[in-house]
Amino acid sequence: MDTPDDTPPRRTGFTLDGVAYTHIDMAGQYGADFQRLPVVLRLLLENALRNMRGAERDDAVAALFAWLAHGTSEAEIAFQPGRVLMHDTTSTPALVDIAAMRDALDEAGMDPRALNPVLPVDVSVDHSLAVQAYARPDAAASNLALELRRNAERYRFLRWASKALSNVRIHPPGTGIMHTLNLEQLATVVCEHDGALHPDMMIGTDSHTPMINGIGVLGWGVGGLEAQTVMFGMPTLLRIPDVIGVRLSGTLAAGVTATDLALTVTQRLRAIGVSGEFVEFFGPGVATLSAGSRCVVANMAPEYGATTGYFPIDAATLDYLRQTGRDPAHVARVGAYAASAGLALDPAATPRYTRVVEIALDQVGTRVAGPTRPQDLHPYEQTRALLAGLGFAPRAASPLPRHAIAIAAITSCTNTSDPRLLVAAGLLARKARRAGLKAPAWVKTSLGPGSPAAADYLARAGLLADLEAVGFGIVGYGCTTCIGNSGPLPPMVRDAMAAGAVRPVAVLSGNRNFTGRIHPDLDLGFLMSPPLVIAFALAGDAERDLAREPVQVGA
């Protein structure tokens, strides 16, 4: 497996529609050992072969294959991502640093324009939108206007950066959440330059960057300083990771959602103490999941303790690229490259993993997680027992239930980037609307999708009006309640809390529910799928057993 220091890695290729393409021939060069590697380590191997030279490259390759002996390694390798993704709160300090360094160059009599990121940097302004207005037709416009007023100085600086710096692109407020934009617009999955192909690999300054793993792009979250180093062309160092293989078998039952699967994966992997490992999904069950469903599971990687939650490229990946308007020639190129380079999903393959966890998809049920941690998994009908166990005794009378639902939010790129989940929520809203149901007045309802594309397909399906009718109109396109930007609680909830009459609960389609995370005054919250958020919102009571009791009693 030795590669001479000055010899470039062996290349092979294929012809597609009369065009010749080449790529590094890992399978031909390393044979059976290459096939034993998890796909995430094959990607790190490709990255090392493409970006390293000489002894450094030889040492990295040797360390990656030595990993096979024990499924673990203490060796470090350099990883060179091809692009950087940031959100507004992490990008601002980094861009301020660049501006200051440019000033220093100018003072030294040098051209400040010489200092620019060498990698493409995409900044999404998504972490500043708060849910002030809701359940009214102008909610989205009102919340956006408030966001612009509150952050005007910072946004002016970001606009300057987008014009003054090369390779920096700012996606302004109202264009969506960074991870959804990455999925729908930014990710190429496979990069091409003059006929040479290689995988799309990236880092982002947010822990949920692994969402892009759902369509076969290797990426993970880093800190702002690390990203700032990388954007100037320096690699990031990492220990060759342990890789947990999650073998999926069977098929999800009708009505069971990708959210239910993501929460199940979170519970199972937290139970075995995953902490910083790479996770890769394999087995025949993977092929039954849509790309959107995979992205929901991949997004929860930090909640199940992993650095990645990777799904290899297959037909579902290509379907997603077509659905999001990628060029047909590019989609064909992605599929051909993945197959030729040995990076495509083989449902029958059993690579070497550090540990393997088995999950039967047909055993996953409708679940909620909470009321304080994302790994605390329960059947959705058990919320009454869970809350009763807390022993809250009201000190005053109130028309609100003692565990009234104060916030019901369809929020977070975790679940709003999967069209199936939003369509399911819309269909439930349609039935509720036909029955004349609305959420009780004490429930703060909101729908904050990952991008305006969600509004388009919900409107085309006639479901946006149904969601608005039951209180779930769009409040904007940003992280909103998922990161605690939930805005003030309804006055009647605040009054009842002050009187000691209620201990309210939040229900949301987000990824974290730690005490105070959703709202500083709320210590209880359940994570659940978007349609289940609507069902609980209509009930208004977190102690309702929705498996056996009506959501409401109509006139």
Side-chain angles (χ1 to χ4, degrees):
M1 295 188 300
D2 293 335
T3 302
D5 284 359
D6 297 323
T7 302
R10 183 193 304 175
R11 300 187 73 82
T12 186
F14 58 89
T15 299
L16 184 66
D17 295 330
V19 180
Y21 298 99
T22 68
H23 60 82
I24 295 175
D25 185 15
M26 297 180 290
Q29 192 164 357
Y30 302 113
D33 280 348
F34 173 75
Q35 301 298 335
R36 293 178 61 212
L37 286 173
V39 177
V40 288
L41 294 192
R42 298 179 200 179
L43 289 165
L44 293 182
L45 173 65
E46 193 280 342
N47 191 272
L49 290 170
R50 180 163 41 87
N51 292 296
M52 295 181 187
R53 297 293 181 269
E56 182 187 34
R57 182 179 65 190
D58 294 343
D59 291 345
V61 171
L64 283 163
F65 283 104
W67 180 94
L68 288 169
H70 303 288
T72 191
S73 174
E74 293 301 319
E76 283 192 341
I77 62 171
F79 173 72
Q80 183 65 69
R83 56 190 179 92
V84 178
L85 183 63
M86 310 182 84
H87 56 68
D88 44 321
T89 55
T90 54
S91 68
T92 302
L95 296 172
V96 167
D97 284 348
I98 295 173
M101 288 187 285
R102 281 188 156 207
D103 282 347
L105 288 175
D106 185 59
E107 291 171 3
M110 302 171 67
D111 185 359
R113 294 172 298 180
L115 184 66
N116 284 290
V118 299
L119 295 183
V121 179
D122 280 280
V123 175
S124 173
V125 182
D126 60 9
H127 272 52
S128 303
L129 178 69
V131 184
Q132 190 78 26
Y134 66 98
R136 64 188 220 200
D138 67 338
S142 176
N143 290 329
L144 179 59
L146 178 63
E147 177 191 2
L148 293 172
R149 287 199 302 274
R150 285 174 169 172
N151 300 280
E153 184 176 14
R154 184 158 56 97
Y155 290 174
R156 282 196 297 271
F157 171 72
L158 291 176
R159 175 174 288 183
W160 168 85
S162 70
K163 294 179 178 179
L165 300 176
S166 301
N167 290 323
V168 174
R169 178 168 52 177
I170 308 294
H171 302 269
T175 55
I177 302 174
M178 59 188 293
H179 309 304
T180 307
L181 289 172
N182 200 14
L183 282 169
E184 294 179 350
Q185 301 178 33
L186 305 180
T188 61
V189 185
V190 172
C191 303
E192 185 269 339
H193 181 69
D194 292 335
L197 304 177
H198 63 85
D200 178 11
M201 305 188 206
M202 48 85 61
I203 59 167
T205 57
D206 186 272
S207 60
H208 294 96
T209 299
M211 187 172 202
I212 202 64
N213 296 172
I215 60 170
V217 174
L218 183 60
W220 60 86
V222 299
L225 287 176
E226 187 173 350
Q228 191 170 334
T229 301
V230 169
M231 71 172 66
F232 285 105
M234 297 294 291
T236 182
L237 292 177
L238 72 154
R239 182 179 70 84
I240 297 176
D242 291 2
V243 183
I244 309 299
V246 178
R247 184 179 185 276
L248 303 180
S249 60
T251 306
L252 292 175
V256 175
T257 67
T259 311
D260 301 316
L261 175 57
L263 295 176
T264 300
V265 169
T266 300
Q267 188 273 332
R268 291 288 303 278
L269 294 185
R270 278 296 186 188
I272 66 170
V274 170
S275 180
E277 294 92 334
F278 279 30
V279 167
E280 179 172 305
F281 295 88
F282 74 108
V286 173
T288 70
L289 299 175
S290 70
S293 295
R294 297 174 191 183
C295 291
V296 173
V297 177
N299 184 291
M300 291 287 283
E303 280 66 53
Y304 46 79
T307 299
T308 70
Y310 186 80
F311 289 83
I313 298 166
D314 72 348
T317 311
L318 306 185
D319 286 344
Y320 180 83
L321 295 177
R322 294 186 193 98
Q323 291 161 8
T324 48
R326 266 65 164 205
D327 180 68
H330 177 71
V331 176
R333 192 160 55 237
V334 169
Y337 169 75
S340 180
L343 300 174
L345 174 70
D346 178 359
T350 55
R352 168 74 155 103
Y353 292 108
T354 309
R355 287 186 286 179
V356 172
V357 174
E358 299 265 356
I359 295 180
L361 297 178
D362 52 7
Q363 297 301 307
V364 177
T366 303
R367 298 287 187 261
V368 299
T372 57
R373 301 191 306 176
Q375 64 264 41
D376 294 336
L377 187 70
H378 307 282
Y380 74 105
E381 62 267 26
Q382 290 185 4
T383 56
R384 172 181 292 162
L386 292 166
L387 294 169
L390 300 176
F392 172 72
R395 300 194 307 270
S398 171
L400 278 63
R402 65 173 182 168
H403 287 297
I405 291 174
I407 291 175
I410 300 176
T411 180
S412 169
C413 55
T414 307
N415 291 290
T416 67
S417 297
D418 182 2
R420 295 185 179 203
L421 290 174
L422 288 189
V423 168
L427 291 172
L428 192 148
R430 173 173 290 175
K431 291 192 173 185
R433 181 187 187 186
R434 288 173 178 171
L437 307 184
K438 289 187 177 180
W442 61 81
V443 183
K444 184 171 187 176
T445 54
S446 63
L447 167 58
S451 80
D456 291 341
Y457 63 70
L458 288 171
R460 288 199 303 270
L463 296 173
L464 197 55
D466 295 314
L467 287 160
E468 291 168 346
V470 297
F472 284 86
I474 291 176
V475 296
Y477 306 101
C479 301
T480 62
T481 303
C482 185
I483 60 167
N485 289 349
S486 50
L489 296 175
M492 60 194 311
V493 172
R494 296 202 303 268
D495 293 344
M497 290 178 68
V502 300
R503 189 177 178 185
V505 177
V507 296
L508 71 158
S509 65
N511 43 51
R512 292 175 183 168
N513 54 344
F514 307 118
T515 296
R517 163 79 177 192
I518 302 163
H519 189 282
D521 295 333
L522 298 182
D523 62 348
L524 302 174
F526 287 102
L527 306 179
M528 59 186 67
S529 67
L532 207 52
V533 168
I534 292 181
F536 271 101
L538 294 172
D541 183 358
E543 290 190 277
R544 188 72 55 84
D545 179 357
L546 295 182
R548 298 173 181 84
E549 299 173 11
V551 172
Q552 287 187 20
V553 176

